Structures are given as C-alpha cells and as structure tokens.
Amino acid sequence: MLANEKVNLSIIELDFHFDLLDSLLKIVEDSNYTINVFTTAKNMSLLKGIQYNENITFHILNSFSKFLFLKRNKEIFEKSDVIFINTIATDFGAYLALKNPSKIILRIHNINKQFNPTRSIYFPNSLFSFWKFSSYIVRQVILKLFPIHRLIINKRIQHFTFPDEGLRDYVIEKKYLPSHKVIPSIPFKVFSSPIKPALFGDELKITIIGAIDKKRRDYSTIIEALKLLYQVNNSSIKTTLTMLGSSKGVYGEFIKEELNKIKNPNLKCIFFENKVSETNFINIMNSSHLVISPIIKDSKAEIYHETYGKTKTSGSILDF
C-alpha cells in the first residue's frame, strides 16, 4: 500500500493494546486511506486527548460479544481493502466472524502461544500460579475453545506480520508459516515528539516503563542499587523514580512496599494504580533522563513460555 493510493483500511484492537493502536494510527493517518477503527471504550479512554485526522472513524464495542460486534459491521469489512488485526490476545473464535481471509493481516505478539502452544506450556509451581493456570484452562481452553480456533485462524488468514524482523525470521526458520504468508514487519511503537530530550538539572528523573509484572520484569537489581545509594551511602542526588505502568496486584504492592522502605528525602517514588493514558505516558517520557525496562528474557504469556528477542518482543523496548 502506498500513501497516495485510495485504500479502505479497517483496524481491529479489541483487547488492551491501546498504545500500539495509537502508534499504528500515527503510521497511517496522514495517508489517503479511509480508516475504520474497531476498539473498546476502555482503549478510547486511555487515548483521550489525542487528536486524530478526519479520515479515521472509530467504532466502539457495544456488546459483550466480540463476535456479534464484528458480524454487525460486516458491510464495512466487505468494503475494506485490508483488515488489520492489531492483537488477538483472547477470544480467538470472535474473529471467525470476519470473512474474506485474503484481506486480513494479523500481527503476532507471542509466537509460541500462536504456533507452538502445546510444547510451550509451563506448569505451576505454587498454589497461586496453579489457580491462575486452572483459570486460564477453564476460560480460554475449555469454554472459548482456544486450541481449535487458533488452528482455524492460522489456516484461514493469508498474511501475518510481526513487530520486528527477528521474530519474523524465527517463524520462517521454524517453518511455523510458509514464507509467502509472512509480510514485512510492522513495529509496535512509533514515538515522535517536537519536544527536545530533557536535560539533567537539579533532579534526576528515572522512569521504569511497563506494568509491574513478576512474570516479565525483575526489579531486584534496581531496588538494591537504590538501597545502596540512599540507605548506605546517603546520596544527596535528588531523584524521582516513576513506575510508568499499573501497579495493581499482589506483586505490585510488594514492589511499592520495597521501594517505600528506602527512606531518604532525596528519593521520591511515583506509582500508578491503573494503566497510564497515552498523553500522560508521553509527557512523562519527555521529561525523563533515564529510562529502564528490566525485562526477563525467559518470560510467560498466560500459560506459555516465551523468549524476548526470539518469540516475543516488548513495547517497552520500543519505547526507547
């Protein structure tokens, strides 16, 4: 597709990657495309304050059924030249409402979950993880028939894309897809700002991006470094540490407690209870001097093993 072509483009994001939706719209909004976006009220609330061009029309999920929502908009999809699915994280069966699979492009986030789930299952090692594991099996595998719908979608869709070339090459190397079904990668994030990078003055602003998540991030080194600086060495450097993501949950509370134990007037820690809106995210990133993403290489997506840089990438890395 070229920017001067007249193209009817439909974009679907019915899960929770509002930031990736925003970046995708930044890529295409200045084109000659007619763009229809299908998303949720929650995602729109997190994009509040961002202005989009008039060639973009938003359609908001207004029922409990994603399948019926997509089916009710079949006329728009029939007129679309391209249907781009930004994410399928849950409810794989809902996307069977889309006909004309030759029009569809699906961007994959988790390769093992999508193409090799059975051999990638991790088994719980605690009562809490067993509860999470069991809950997923009941909700997604048994009730929503993930294994069956995944296979149908992988067979029907003719075009797959990935957030970077490394993941794309891995899928072709493993022969999860024939090469003719794999198109060039489309990055998760496009981050542009007319504001110049913040310069360090009297206060150092450190930002750790991403929700506080035990499965994907390890904060121990950062906490120990701050303890050494502000408890042992009593540093006089004024620092604001912002945890730029949701801190909900048991592990989030644990990390907050560990950081708040570091008592020093020169260290200030900021947390967010819920997801951070895109406008707030950009403002904080623009004012940061140091950005950290403490990801764990061997990670998990639901009940599946994933490896950063090979089968999975992180929007946090691309935020840099």
Side-chain angles (χ1 to χ4, degrees):
M1 293 186 296
L2 299 174
N4 59 357
E5 290 185 39
K6 285 190 176 295
V7 173
N8 287 322
L9 171 64
S10 289
I11 298 173
I12 303 172
E13 173 54 72
L14 296 179
D15 286 296
F16 42 80
H17 291 96
F18 67 94
D19 50 341
L20 308 189
L21 174 61
D22 176 62
S23 287
L24 184 60
L25 292 176
K26 286 174 181 173
I27 293 173
V28 299
E29 69 174 345
D30 290 328
S31 65
N32 200 27
Y33 303 168
T34 298
I35 303 169
N36 286 283
V37 178
F38 300 84
T39 191
T40 66
K42 177 66 173 177
N43 285 338
M44 290 305 298
S45 71
L46 292 164
L47 296 175
K48 186 178 180 180
I50 299 176
Q51 299 295 319
Y52 295 106
N53 289 352
E54 293 181 357
N55 61 329
I56 300 175
T57 302
F58 290 91
H59 306 266
I60 309 304
L61 177 66
N62 54 5
S63 69
F64 290 106
S65 171
K66 295 177 185 177
F67 180 89
L68 292 177
F69 174 64
L70 295 175
K71 195 169 183 178
R72 277 199 297 268
N73 287 283
K74 66 177 182 178
E75 290 185 8
I76 296 175
F77 295 125
E78 286 173 357
K79 294 176 182 177
S80 298
D81 299 298
V82 176
I83 302 169
F84 187 93
I85 305 176
N86 189 41
T87 321
I88 304 182
T90 58
D91 300 324
F92 277 59
Y95 298 86
L96 299 179
L98 300 172
K99 307 304 179 183
N100 303 109
S102 61
K103 295 181 179 182
I104 300 172
I105 299 173
L106 171 58
R107 180 159 59 181
I108 302 299
H109 293 204
N110 299 298
I111 289 174
N112 285 341
K113 176 184 174 182
Q114 188 78 30
F115 301 112
N116 192 27
T118 305
R119 295 184 178 181
S120 303
I121 293 174
Y122 81 90
F123 292 95
N125 55 11
S126 68
L127 285 175
F128 180 72
S129 61
F130 178 76
W131 179 83
K132 298 279 284 185
F133 180 92
S134 302
S135 174
Y136 179 86
I137 293 293
V138 172
R139 289 182 294 104
Q140 297 297 330
V141 176
I142 298 174
L143 296 180
K144 295 192 175 179
L145 301 175
F146 163 71
I148 296 171
H149 293 152
R150 177 192 67 84
L151 287 173
I152 296 172
I153 283 172
N154 287 350
K155 186 175 181 180
R156 285 184 63 198
I157 292 178
Q158 298 302 305
H159 307 289
F160 292 80
T161 186
F162 299 84
D164 63 53
E165 292 298 295
L167 272 65
R168 176 182 180 273
D169 293 344
Y170 182 81
V171 163
I172 294 173
E173 175 193 331
K174 289 290 185 180
K175 298 181 179 179
Y176 290 148
L177 287 171
S179 58
H180 71 270
K181 293 182 74 169
V182 182
I183 67 172
S185 61
I186 300 175
F188 273 166
K189 294 292 187 78
V190 175
F191 185 79
S192 60
S193 174
I195 301 173
K196 293 182 179 179
L199 299 176
F200 174 65
D202 297 329
E203 181 184 11
L204 176 64
K205 294 184 177 180
I206 301 174
T207 297
I208 299 178
I209 46 180
I212 299 178
D213 187 340
K214 189 175 183 179
K215 293 185 295 183
R216 295 184 293 162
R217 297 180 178 89
D218 181 5
Y219 304 91
S220 57
T221 302
I222 297 165
I223 293 171
E224 290 307 311
L226 291 173
K227 285 180 179 179
L228 181 63
L229 278 170
Y230 289 100
Q231 286 185 332
V232 178
N233 295 328
N234 196 26
S235 174
S236 60
I237 299 173
K238 290 185 178 180
T239 299
T240 296
L241 173 67
T242 301
M243 306 295 286
L244 192 52
S246 171
S247 61
K248 271 187 175 180
V250 175
Y251 187 64
E253 289 299 321
F254 170 75
I255 295 299
K256 286 166 68 174
E257 288 177 10
E258 289 299 300
L259 288 168
N260 287 329
K261 286 178 184 177
I262 306 173
K263 302 295 184 182
N264 190 302
N266 293 314
L267 176 64
K268 178 183 177 183
C269 296
I270 298 175
F271 305 95
F272 292 89
E273 185 68 16
N274 300 304
K275 288 185 177 181
V276 181
S277 71
E278 191 67 5
T279 50
N280 200 12
F281 181 92
I282 291 170
N283 289 336
I284 293 170
M285 288 288 285
N286 281 334
S287 65
S288 299
H289 305 115
L290 176 63
V291 180
I292 300 172
S293 180
I295 61 170
I296 301 170
K297 182 180 178 182
D298 295 313
S299 186
K300 300 180 183 71
E302 282 102 20
I303 65 170
Y304 309 103
H305 283 290
E306 301 286 354
T307 302
Y308 278 111
K310 183 181 288 186
T311 71
K312 179 182 181 67
T313 192
S314 171
S316 296
I317 295 173
L318 299 169
D319 284 323
F320 289 110

